[in-house]
Amino acid sequence: MNEWQGGTSRPHGAGGGRSRDRSGNGYGRGSGSTQPEGVRAMPQVRRDAGSGYGRSEPPLPPQMSPRRGSVPPQQSQGYDDYDSGYNTGQVYGGDGGGRGGGPDGYRARPRPNWGRRIKWTVLTLVVVFAVTSVATYFWADGKLRRKVDLSKVIDRPAAGDGTNYLIVGSDSREGMSADDKKKLHTGSAEGKRTDSMMILHDGSNGPTLISLPRDSDVEIPSFVGSDSGKKYPGTGRHTKLNAAYAEDGAELLVRTVEFNTKLHIDHYVEIGFAGFAGIVDAIGGVELNIPKAFKDKDSGSDFKAGTQTLNGSQALAFVRARHAFAASDLARTKNQQKFLAALASQTATPSTVLNPFKLYPTMSAGLDTLIVDKDMGLWDLGQMFFAMKDVTGGEGKSMNMPMSGIVHGNVVWDKAKLTQLVQQLNNDEKVTVSDDQ
């Protein structure tokens, strides 16, 4: 006889209220199991055992089934060699074994190495600065117009200590439009003449800036023509200093200055009207204190007394004015020295040097009209610039060429003071000679 008799039959040996399923597990009222019916009624399923689960290990026993928020034990009797695949209590983000220190192979992001970042940032900035500096050097060097050949100057005096620059401001209108000429009050004269001339000595005892009045009485010596190559003998002819430049250009001017001073000129620098005004505008103007108001219709000057900022056209009018002063050209040379020193001082500032939007326009404005000798380099030009800056910085001296009087409208130099001055410059000594008469 079968054990089951329809739907109401009970298995043999079964107590009241108990039933058995086909696997032999008891359920229902009076069950002897210590687990709740809900737990006993649901099969134990591993969380990683889905439809595509292909591992061959047996399912976990009920006592090892993970609960939410609990950590399964590392070992269980009979399952010592079994790897459940769950974290065994290690802190997430730690340097644990396996694929990572956290769930699903996640590893915490390491702390940034600030020392390394700073090192690479500094290295990058240094490289960028070096590349920019080299590029700027070649760009500026390529814009220098090395037109003056000092090798053509004959019978030159011996070179002394320090470096001597002959700085010339010409009235060249090169590159200027009709509107520019009108705005700057330059007129439309053809050719070039010297509007100002200065000797800048740069030595160990500080720089000395000496203005040479353009009406200075000088002797034109023998010279070799800059274009013809022909030698012209000296005849003892006297004329104004600026006439030497008008007669045969920069080479004859250098030859005349050296012959009449016995001072060796190492470098020649010339800048025209347009370049001068362009530099001033590029740096945003130059602040200058004008002690007394004056007007000069020929130069376009019209200044009030006091501290004021001059733009390019105003600056050019200021350094060219001479008819407003009783001392005429001598007063003008003083104003030129004062302004050039202020220009150099206000240009060599971090706000200009470190600002490419001011530095490159300033350099371009100057270099576009700058003419130098063939041996002049950017280093020499920089040395001259900073020496000019130091003239009014307490380390330098500015003066006119010592004069003994005026004959037929020409300024006559004081020969005794000139000899002493040149000796001090050649020996790189502190200059004690004054331009007082």
Side-chain angles (χ1 to χ4, degrees):
M1 186 175 183
N2 293 331
E3 291 182 324
W4 298 94
Q5 297 290 334
T8 60
S9 300
R10 292 184 301 175
H12 294 285
R18 291 187 63 183
S19 301
R20 290 185 180 274
D21 60 13
R22 295 180 182 273
S23 62
N25 293 324
Y27 63 94
R29 179 184 296 178
S31 172
S33 172
T34 59
Q35 295 182 353
E37 289 188 12
V39 175
R40 286 183 282 111
M42 297 179 64
Q44 299 297 331
V45 180
R46 288 185 58 177
R47 294 181 183 180
D48 58 350
S51 60
Y53 181 66
R55 297 181 62 173
S56 59
E57 292 88 354
L60 293 175
Q63 62 269 27
M64 294 189 65
S65 177
R67 301 288 190 266
R68 184 182 301 274
S70 66
V71 179
Q74 297 184 19
Q75 294 182 353
S76 180
Q77 185 175 2
Y79 293 90
D80 291 346
D81 297 329
Y82 176 73
D83 180 6
S84 67
Y86 293 97
N87 184 279
T88 57
Q90 295 179 1
V91 179
Y92 290 145
D95 192 19
R99 293 178 298 172
D104 298 328
Y106 174 82
R107 183 181 296 277
R109 187 175 184 177
R111 179 178 298 177
N113 189 331
W114 289 108
R116 177 177 295 180
R117 290 187 179 185
I118 293 173
K119 180 183 71 175
W120 280 107
T121 299
V122 171
L123 181 60
T124 301
L125 291 175
V126 169
V127 171
V128 170
F129 177 78
V131 171
T132 303
S133 299
V134 172
T136 300
Y137 176 87
F138 284 104
W139 168 77
D141 187 72
K143 292 180 74 69
L144 274 180
R145 297 193 293 172
R146 298 179 174 91
K147 292 185 175 182
V148 179
D149 189 357
L150 295 183
S151 67
K152 295 180 180 180
V153 180
I154 62 174
D155 300 332
R156 308 189 67 185
D161 295 330
T163 305
N164 298 318
Y165 301 87
L166 181 59
I167 303 172
V168 175
S170 77
D171 63 359
S172 170
R173 282 85 173 166
E174 181 182 2
M176 295 175 62
S177 65
D179 289 339
D180 291 334
K181 295 175 184 177
K182 182 178 180 180
K183 176 183 176 182
L184 300 176
H185 298 273
T186 64
S188 300
E190 297 298 328
K192 294 194 301 182
R193 283 160 295 277
T194 53
D195 206 60
S196 61
M197 291 164 283
M198 303 177 186
I199 294 175
L200 175 64
H201 173 82
D202 185 21
S204 58
N205 280 291
T208 301
L209 183 64
I210 307 161
S211 287
L212 308 176
R214 67 178 187 174
D215 293 337
S216 296
D217 185 81
V218 295
E219 179 182 343
I220 302 296
S222 59
F223 67 96
V224 174
S226 57
D227 293 327
S228 66
K230 179 181 176 180
K231 184 173 182 178
Y232 297 89
T235 61
R237 175 170 56 100
H238 280 246
T239 186
K240 297 179 186 296
L241 180 59
N242 65 342
Y245 182 91
E247 186 173 334
D248 200 51
E251 286 86 356
L252 179 55
L253 178 61
V254 172
R255 167 70 173 137
T256 303
V257 169
E258 290 188 339
F259 178 83
N260 286 270
T261 63
K262 305 300 186 288
L263 184 69
H264 182 88
I265 300 299
D266 298 291
H267 291 293
Y268 177 91
V269 180
E270 177 186 326
I271 188 168
F273 284 161
F276 181 82
I279 292 174
V280 175
D281 285 334
I283 65 171
V286 173
E287 186 177 270
L288 196 69
N289 180 33
I290 300 176
K292 186 178 180 179
F294 68 90
K295 287 185 178 181
D296 184 350
K297 66 176 183 178
D298 291 337
S299 68
S301 301
D302 185 4
F303 296 104
K304 298 179 180 180
T307 301
Q308 50 206 284
T309 299
L310 277 59
N311 61 26
S313 60
Q314 292 172 327
L316 188 58
F318 178 80
V319 299
R320 295 182 63 223
R322 63 170 178 162
H323 298 294
F325 311 112
S328 188
D329 201 47
L330 296 179
R332 183 175 72 158
T333 57
K334 288 290 187 181
N335 283 341
Q336 290 171 348
Q337 291 176 348
K338 180 179 181 179
F339 185 84
L340 289 177
L343 173 63
S345 179
Q346 294 175 40
T347 302
T349 59
S351 62
T352 298
V353 175
L354 300 180
N355 183 354
F357 298 102
K358 292 181 68 175
L359 176 63
Y360 288 99
T362 301
M363 294 179 65
S364 182
L367 295 173
D368 282 343
T369 59
L370 200 67
I371 295 175
V372 298
D373 65 270
K374 292 187 175 181
D375 294 327
M376 185 79 158
L378 285 179
W379 175 261
D380 303 303
L381 194 62
Q383 291 290 97
M384 184 201 78
F385 181 80
F386 283 102
M388 182 74 75
K389 176 180 179 293
D390 291 339
V391 166
T392 57
E395 300 178 4
K397 178 183 178 67
S398 61
M399 58 185 290
N400 279 326
M401 179 65 75
M403 57 178 288
S404 60
I406 297 178
V407 177
H408 304 301
N410 291 355
V411 176
V412 179
W413 296 345
D414 188 319
K415 294 187 181 300
K417 287 187 175 181
L418 172 60
T419 300
Q420 183 183 3
L421 173 62
V422 171
Q423 181 180 356
Q424 291 177 343
L425 294 177
N426 279 332
N427 295 332
D428 204 12
E429 300 171 352
K430 186 175 181 61
V431 173
T432 59
V433 178
S434 70
D435 55 5
D436 297 332
Q437 296 188 37

